[in-house]
Amino acid sequence: MSSTSTENNNHSSSTAAAAADTAAVVSEFEPTTGRGGGPVDLRPIDQRVPEAMSNYNLPSSAATISTKVQRLHEQFPTFANKSADDLEDLLRFEDLFQAHIDGLEQVQLMRTLEYELREENERLAEVNLSSEEELRKMRENVAELQMFASSLTSRLYELVQEHLDLQKPYSPLLLLQRLKDECREVDGQAEDVAKRFLDKEDKIDSAECEDFVKQYRALRARFHSSESRCRLADAAYRSGSLAGVPLSLDR
């Protein structure tokens, strides 16, 4: 009988201890109550500090509470290790909250990176300012060289145009035209010689006949030679074998 009562007492004690532990864990999430049972009024805080969690509704499910506690330990370990009083102090006192935030490793790393970035920007600014005079001189030299290069380019275009003007009389098209004119001129000379010989009313002796034949044959031979060269040159020009010289330079 005594053993049974002892077991019941032990069971009641363990149950009370478990209930006390559960109440201690849950009490961190419950709003703090005063003597009259109502919530304790906290001092108004600055907007930069999170709002007091006096109106937080504790989930009824133990699994949900366990999940939230685990998430709190994983994502906010610095807050998870604090008691309810400490959390209320952080919400009540702005300086204490700011000191806690400043002590976070992520914040310290961010400020270290910010400091290094600012130092590097200042160093680069000093380097750029020290090179200002040198850059100004280089800019002036570049402007002078650009003007000189522009003048040389203009002179080059002038010389090329002069060269093209000198080549115009010797272009394939003009030479072909001159060859055609020469061919027509020789043909006209031969026709004039034959007409003058045939229009003579006086008696023509053998010497005049020999001179006419010799002169006419020479003119006709010259005409046929010029005509043959003219046809060959015209065919070559039409086929593109003879490249013409441009009349002007496109800038």
Side-chain angles (χ1 to χ4, degrees), residues 160-161 164-165 167-169 171 173-174 244-250:
V160 171
Q161 188 62 47
L164 293 177
D165 293 339
Q167 281 187 331
K168 284 180 182 179
S171 64
L173 182 60
L174 293 179
V245 177
L247 301 180
S248 62
L249 178 64
D250 295 333

Side-chain angles (χ1 to χ4, degrees), residues 2 13 97 179 190 206:
S2 60
S13 301
F97 180 84
L179 186 60
S206 59

